[in-house]
Amino acid sequence: MKVLVVGSGGREHALCWKIAQSDEVDKIYCAPGNGGTNLVAENVDIKANDIDGLLDFAVKNNIDLTVVGPEEPLVLGIVDRFQERGLKIFGPDKSCARLEGSKSFAKSFMEKYSIPTARYRVYENYNKACEGIKEFNYPLVIKADGLCLGKGVEIVNTQEEAIKVLEDVLENRKFGKEGSKVVIEEYLDGIEASLLCFVTDNRIIPMESAKDYKKAYDGDLGPNTGGVGAFSPSPLFTESLKTRIKEEILDRIQYGLQEEGLNYNGILYVGLMIVDGSPKVLEFNVRFGDPETEVLIPRLESDIVDLFQKTIDSTLDSSDILWKKESSLTVVLTSEGYPLKYEKGFEIEGHESLNESIILFHNGTKLQENRLLTDGGRVLSVIALGNTIEEARRKVYSNINNIRFKGMFYRKDIGK
Ligand code: AMP
Ligand code: GLY
């Protein structure tokens, strides 16, 4: 069969790599892909948000299965459009994708179905929002409602800072219509964890847990990023916590989806904060996480194409999803200055002579006349499996120095 993967990051490289291991697959395309997806798939020059272009390509090339990486095409309704044309596609439809596409929708869903989350208010009007923040203590979290390329969440420490953010978002329309509403919410102090789940016909089947490092610098300092390191499983996930997450969160999401008349198929990423041992939902994503996918996929034993097909056919069972016992860890090599200002286009060297225990997924690279160049803030994910997180960690760090590019930066404390 022919598979089309939509997206261009490390997540999509990991997906292409795993899909390539399936006996059912003859050909993989990745749109638009990067310098790494190129190694296992044929890159197609169509942007991930160009739904018409992707649809046209899938029809003309008789694509049997499309797998969507990023949120934007899902929120734009790529799944509905492909299904209307009778094409098989893995991901939630437009109405389900609102769980990520609108934070106010996600919060009201959580409130309605008693899913534990931070206390919140939604505002469209700047003056009312300025009044509303008086009900909260500091730090305080302000979120633009829509998709803002991961830049829509601000944690502020004073009323002055809060008013500045509200002014930027609601008055000056920093995020355009994606910021026409804000969610103001209580700050949760705890430990973050990511739980990705397969969802088939609203039935939620959790994967193994993962821990993502969101801050740019060692010791969890500096600005928030898309994620610069990860490991799996997260030792936080004891049996008793797993039971609580199932009963207090996953079962209620499932019930809520059913009650709302939604029909969710695809991946649901539940972003959690564990506060004094109790799980609370920070956010939903309607797709695989990045870099969580880079550590989960190498641990997955099962044929992923089989899992995608069973999800679409509503026959997926938890016993279909088998995991390796080993742990995995990734360190993301970034361009100096990321997530703020950075340069790209620098040659990457040493990536071909890594130890064979290392898996390398490309986040932001491109091939130009046989040279591999940096092409994003996150550049490469260096991954290893190990009997323990510590063993995986040692393998990764002892191999990083073989890779070189100008301005290469990475955290030294992933998994420590
Ligand atoms: P979100 O996109 O909603 O996950 O927010 C991005 C990041 O901001 C999260 O991964 C957390 O690190 C942080 N964050 C979001 N909401 C809260 C909250 N209520 N309390 C503390 N940190 C938060
Ligand atoms: N690693 C966080 C995300 O994928 O949103």
Side-chain angles (χ1 to χ4, degrees):
M1 63 190 283
K2 291 192 205 172
V3 180
L4 169 66
V5 175
V6 177
S8 61
R11 163 182 53 207
E12 287 76 19
H13 186 184
L15 290 170
C16 287
W17 177 84
K18 185 71 183 165
I19 290 167
Q21 292 167 23
S22 171
D23 292 336
E24 296 181 65
V25 174
D26 311 303
K27 176 84 191 168
I28 310 171
Y29 297 98
C30 190
N34 64 34
T37 57
N38 210 42
L39 303 168
V40 277
E42 180 179 332
N43 287 349
V44 184
D45 191 18
I46 306 172
K47 290 210 171 66
N49 60 6
D50 178 4
I51 313 288
D52 290 328
L54 293 166
L55 187 56
D56 194 46
F57 178 84
V59 170
K60 286 199 178 121
N61 290 278
N62 299 313
I63 298 297
D64 299 292
L65 172 67
T66 299
V67 179
V68 187
E71 60 277 15
E72 194 186 357
L74 294 168
V75 171
L76 290 173
I78 189 172
V79 170
D80 312 58
R81 295 282 306 283
F82 271 54
Q83 285 173 343
E84 278 160 23
R85 295 291 293 270
L87 292 166
K88 264 200 180 184
I89 182 163
F90 179 82
D93 65 16
K94 193 174 182 177
S95 55
C96 293
R98 285 178 299 164
L99 285 172
E100 178 165 1
S102 165
K103 294 200 187 275
S104 58
F105 175 79
K107 291 297 278 192
S108 66
F109 179 88
M110 288 188 251
E111 184 172 42
K112 188 165 174 190
Y113 296 103
S114 308
I115 296 161
T117 187
R119 186 170 67 85
Y120 77 105
R121 287 254 186 274
V122 180
Y123 294 99
E124 288 181 47
N125 176 281
Y126 168 70
N127 291 320
K128 286 190 178 147
C130 290
E131 267 311 295
I133 54 176
K134 293 180 183 156
E135 293 172 35
F136 291 85
N137 298 321
Y138 290 86
L140 170 74
V141 187
I142 305 177
K143 302 180 174 182
D145 188 55
L147 295 183
C148 305
L149 301 167
K151 297 187 171 62
V153 176
E154 292 276 1
I155 299 171
V156 295
N157 289 301
T158 63
Q159 185 170 336
E160 219 179 349
E161 280 177 67
I163 289 175
K164 174 82 178 65
V165 173
L166 293 174
E167 195 180 313
D168 284 346
V169 179
L170 290 174
E171 293 278 274
N172 303 333
R173 289 295 164 108
K174 181 179 174 188
F175 299 114
K177 72 173 176 30
E178 299 298 318
S180 59
K181 284 186 208 168
V182 293
V183 172
I184 293 174
E185 66 179 41
E186 135 197 52
Y187 178 81
L188 298 176
D189 196 5
I191 309 175
E192 258 185 273
S194 313
L195 186 63
L196 279 70
C197 308
F198 279 93
V199 188
T200 177
D201 205 8
N202 296 339
R203 241 175 347 102
I204 301 179
I205 308 177
M207 300 188 208
E208 291 277 284
S209 58
K211 153 92 185 149
D212 170 23
Y213 287 78
K214 289 221 166 74
K215 297 283 186 186
Y217 311 133
D218 285 14
D220 281 336
L221 299 174
N224 251 328
T225 69
V228 290
F231 61 79
S232 170
S234 161
L236 212 63
F237 277 66
T238 57
E239 284 310 312
S240 77
L241 182 65
K242 282 189 205 164
T243 307
R244 285 193 63 181
I245 291 171
K246 179 180 181 313
E247 289 171 358
E248 295 169 29
I249 296 174
L250 303 183
D251 287 353
R252 294 179 193 179
I253 298 172
Q254 191 162 315
Y255 177 77
L257 292 171
Q258 209 67 27
E259 283 293 299
E260 296 298 307
L262 296 168
N263 180 235
Y264 201 112
N265 290 288
I267 299 296
L268 179 68
Y269 166 139
V270 185
L272 296 164
M273 188 72 92
I274 314 300
V275 185
D276 296 327
S278 295
K280 297 192 182 216
V281 176
L282 281 182
E283 60 162 344
F284 294 125
N285 295 318
V286 296
R287 47 157 176 91
F288 280 103
D290 195 343
E292 289 91 338
T293 306
E294 288 92 310
V295 288
L296 286 166
I297 292 282
R299 295 190 59 216
L300 183 65
E301 195 83 66
S302 315
D303 180 334
I304 202 165
V305 175
D306 184 50
L307 302 183
F308 289 153
Q309 287 187 309
K310 284 183 167 152
T311 301
I312 293 169
D313 299 340
S314 309
T315 56
L316 187 71
D317 186 80
S318 57
S319 62
D320 294 319
I321 311 175
L322 301 176
W323 299 96
K324 293 188 176 133
K325 286 261 177 320
E326 293 158 287
S327 301
S328 59
L329 182 138
T330 184
V331 175
V332 182
L333 310 183
T334 59
S335 300
E336 185 176 12
Y338 170 79
L340 307 171
K341 243 181 89 175
Y342 58 85
E343 290 180 65
K344 48 192 194 179
F346 299 122
E347 181 153 12
I348 302 168
E349 291 175 300
H351 57 97
E352 280 158 331
S353 53
L354 300 173
N355 186 286
E356 59 184 35
S357 66
I358 296 292
I359 301 170
L360 191 68
F361 291 136
H362 296 214
N363 300 84
T365 68
K366 68 172 178 196
L367 271 179
Q368 207 168 62
E369 290 147 14
N370 284 327
R371 288 160 66 219
L372 187 68
L373 306 180
T374 65
D375 194 37
R378 295 190 288 186
V379 178
L380 292 168
S381 293
V382 185
I383 298 120
L385 292 167
N387 290 319
T388 58
I389 300 276
E390 183 49 36
E391 191 185 315
R393 174 186 149 73
R394 261 186 278 121
K395 285 187 195 167
V396 168
Y397 278 106
S398 64
N399 274 279
I400 282 180
N401 284 332
N402 295 323
I403 304 173
R404 294 172 304 277
F405 59 84
K406 189 171 170 223
M408 182 173 113
F409 181 84
Y410 59 93
R411 274 183 68 160
K412 315 287 186 295
D413 64 344
I414 305 301
K416 215 170 191 173

